[in-house]
Amino acid sequence: MGELVWEKRQFGHRARLALTPAQVRLMDDQAHAARAMWNQLHDLWQMTPKCQRALTRMDQALRQARKEIDWYGVLPAQAVLKTYFQAWRNCWDGRADEPNFKARFRTALSVDIPQGRDLQIKRVHRRWGMVNIPKVGRVRFRWTKDLPVGKLANKENRITGARLVKDGLGWHIAFRIQTLELKPEPHQGPEVGIDAGVKLPLALSDGNHQDHGRPARLPDGTADRDKWLNPQEKAKLLRLEQRAAHRKSFRKPKERSSNRLHVTYDQIRQLRARATRRAIDWQHKTTTAIAKQYGTVVVEQLQITNMVKSAKGTIENPGKNVAQKSGLNRSISQEAWGRTVTLLTYKTARNGGTLVKVPAPNTSLRCSACGFITPGSREDQATFVCKNPACGWSANADWNAARNVLHLYRIGLVTIPAAGRAVVRRTRGVKPAAAR
């Protein structure tokens, strides 16, 4: 038996908060103050010469501003400063874009709590826990996962901080957790290729397809924007959208929106958030099952940003089939392929497996039986029929692409992201077998 290897693991856990109306107002005020402070720090950063940009100078300016501006006292101001600097570090390391201005109605409300010791988490019930939020007080949250608190907390297993986030369903808290776990043994499961599609969300090369059972299009052929809602919720959403359009028609240009219109927008946002929660729940359950069953998961290196670009074109060169392309873009965005790959990446590693990316070109056009690319083989979105006279193989188009994805890995054509670009490298010692 080999020596046990421990490794540090960092992950997040999100739980819903149960706030009183007074606490909701405090949280909203704190989030708006954090957004306004972020914008002021961003303006100060842009006006300050590069040679003078430093955390200590901005910290001194912030301390002086807290003495002169009253609403700075409703939130821990140092947390906003640390979050802003961390955003720039993420940008410099290539993990995110540059920080920018946060608009009032287009930005999700959030407040960061950088120190875990300020939370003082305690479990009070089988389903409930208590957490201390600075400037707000003790708040209940849903206990759905065992957290390293109390006697279970130590230097290796602890909560390092949290972030408060608001969506259409209310306020949530996302804990940042650090643990020390045994390094998993190499997964001995089989290899599988995965093709992400619109009609079939996840097609697997062994035929074990994953479908959420919600059609991507309506009977009239248009894309279903609300497929994660039931018929009653869809009817309610339609009424709310009509009500919002009616109330918006009475607003004059540059006039402030009425409170009734904002209430209607909040109700629409709540339904949208409920649909998003259901989609993420399905993705988590599906990716967990795949990571536990397969040792090597092979996916395509997709440029999703380029795939969902508009087809409108310009005035000189107008685009074609703009409405059809718009519906396809909406369907691709709803499936959230990038989030699926992100979930598979860390879940396969946690179970001892690996996730590999291969080049995407021609995986849906090549026949996985004979390997030839013949014109007209892709008759429609769902069926692939090889036009090679010596083959004639036919199957589901997404399954054919999944078999090609696995075959590219087996012949060693692996895409390795390096310095923001894709590099194709052939590996040694791979099996030159076709994906069956």
Side-chain angles (χ1 to χ4, degrees):
M1 187 174 180
E3 183 181 358
L4 298 179
V5 179
W6 295 82
E7 62 180 4
K8 185 180 295 185
R9 176 170 170 259
Q10 295 179 347
F11 62 96
H13 172 64
R14 182 166 170 165
R16 186 183 299 187
L17 295 173
L19 300 171
T20 63
Q23 291 175 335
V24 170
R25 288 192 295 270
L26 290 174
M27 287 298 305
D28 290 345
D29 293 342
Q30 192 174 142
H32 283 298
R35 182 191 57 82
M37 185 179 297
W38 171 286
N39 293 335
Q40 292 180 353
L41 289 173
H42 188 59
D43 292 339
L44 178 61
W45 176 273
Q46 291 180 325
M47 292 186 298
T48 305
K50 292 184 178 180
C51 59
Q52 298 181 7
R53 291 175 179 174
L55 179 62
T56 54
R57 290 189 177 92
M58 296 190 72
D59 182 54
Q60 294 174 359
L62 183 61
R63 292 179 183 275
Q64 181 64 28
R66 294 193 70 180
K67 299 177 181 178
E68 302 174 359
I69 303 176
D70 296 336
W71 56 265
Y72 267 26
V74 302
L75 79 160
Q78 304 301 322
V80 182
L81 180 61
K82 292 181 180 179
T83 305
Y84 183 77
F85 262 80
Q86 184 61 42
W88 276 110
R89 295 190 188 98
N90 295 337
C91 174
W92 296 332
D93 296 340
R95 296 192 299 266
D97 296 332
E98 291 186 3
N100 51 21
F101 182 85
K102 291 188 176 183
R104 180 178 179 86
F105 296 109
R106 295 192 301 270
T107 304
L109 297 180
S110 64
V111 179
D112 195 69
I113 305 176
Q115 299 296 334
R117 60 174 179 268
D118 298 334
L119 298 174
Q120 302 176 13
I121 302 171
K122 182 179 180 181
R123 187 172 186 177
V124 296
H125 189 263
R126 181 171 62 91
R127 296 182 178 179
W128 294 98
M130 295 290 291
V131 59
N132 180 68
I133 298 178
K135 306 291 183 178
V136 177
R138 301 292 288 175
V139 178
R140 293 192 307 159
F141 69 93
R142 292 287 293 177
W143 191 281
T144 57
K145 182 181 180 65
D146 290 336
L147 302 175
V149 297
K151 296 181 179 180
L152 300 177
N154 50 48
K155 186 177 181 180
E156 288 78 18
N157 300 278
R158 58 193 176 93
I159 295 177
T160 60
R163 171 167 289 185
L164 305 171
V165 183
K166 185 179 183 181
D167 60 8
L169 299 175
W171 280 98
H172 298 72
I173 183 169
F175 298 104
R176 293 190 291 269
I177 305 173
Q178 174 184 304
T179 61
L180 193 64
E181 297 181 352
L182 282 173
K183 186 176 181 179
E185 296 291 334
H187 200 300
Q188 303 300 326
E191 303 166 346
V192 65
I194 299 180
D195 176 74
V198 175
K199 287 191 175 181
L200 185 59
L202 295 178
L204 276 61
S205 57
D206 60 356
N208 184 23
H209 307 314
Q210 304 296 321
D211 189 3
H212 45 58
R214 298 175 183 269
R217 295 189 177 276
L218 297 171
D220 59 357
T222 59
D224 189 1
R225 298 176 53 195
D226 313 307
K227 60 185 177 183
W228 290 100
L229 298 177
N230 57 41
Q232 292 78 13
E233 291 170 337
K234 288 183 179 180
K236 181 179 179 180
L237 179 61
L238 179 61
R239 292 195 303 269
L240 290 173
E241 289 178 341
Q242 293 174 346
R243 185 184 305 169
H246 177 71
R247 290 176 175 173
K248 188 177 179 181
S249 64
F250 293 97
R251 189 184 65 177
K252 298 179 181 179
K254 298 183 180 181
E255 186 180 8
R256 184 180 180 273
S257 301
S258 64
N259 292 333
R260 289 185 177 182
L261 182 58
H262 282 302
V263 170
T264 306
Y265 283 154
D266 291 340
Q267 293 174 335
I268 294 175
R269 197 177 296 113
Q270 183 178 3
L271 287 174
R272 299 289 188 195
R274 189 178 303 171
T276 303
R277 183 182 62 178
R278 292 171 183 170
I280 296 177
D281 179 70
W282 179 84
Q283 283 184 311
H284 270 288
K285 293 178 180 178
T286 304
T287 52
T288 299
I290 292 175
K292 290 182 178 180
Q293 183 176 357
Y294 300 100
T296 303
V297 179
V298 189
V299 298
E300 296 174 298
Q301 179 74 33
L302 297 175
Q303 301 296 332
I304 302 176
T305 304
N306 297 333
M307 296 174 63
V308 296
K309 284 186 176 180
S310 175
K312 290 182 179 180
T314 61
I315 299 178
E316 295 79 9
N317 298 315
K320 299 180 180 180
N321 299 325
V322 178
Q324 293 85 340
K325 184 62 168 65
S326 177
L328 178 62
N329 294 348
R330 189 180 296 113
S331 300
I332 292 175
S333 300
Q334 281 186 329
E335 294 299 334
W337 295 342
R339 185 168 59 205
T340 299
V341 174
T342 301
L343 297 178
L344 283 172
T345 301
Y346 80 83
K347 290 184 179 182
T348 51
R350 187 180 181 185
N351 287 274
T354 55
L355 183 133
V356 183
K357 295 182 180 181
V358 298
N362 297 326
T363 54
S364 60
L365 302 177
R366 184 183 295 108
C367 177
S368 60
C370 65
F372 285 90
I373 300 176
T374 54
S377 296
R378 191 70 180 267
E379 294 184 348
D380 53 36
Q381 189 70 22
T383 307
F384 179 91
V385 180
C386 183
K387 299 301 182 180
N388 184 8
C391 179
W393 185 75
S394 64
N396 180 275
D398 295 329
W399 182 41
N400 173 73
R403 286 157 53 96
N404 286 325
V405 168
L406 180 59
H407 179 66
L408 290 177
Y409 164 73
R410 288 180 172 176
I411 65 175
L413 198 62
V414 178
T415 300
I416 301 176
R421 55 191 178 91
V423 180
V424 178
R425 185 182 71 182
R426 288 191 175 272
T427 58
R428 299 181 180 179
V430 295
K431 298 178 289 185
R436 300 298 183 190

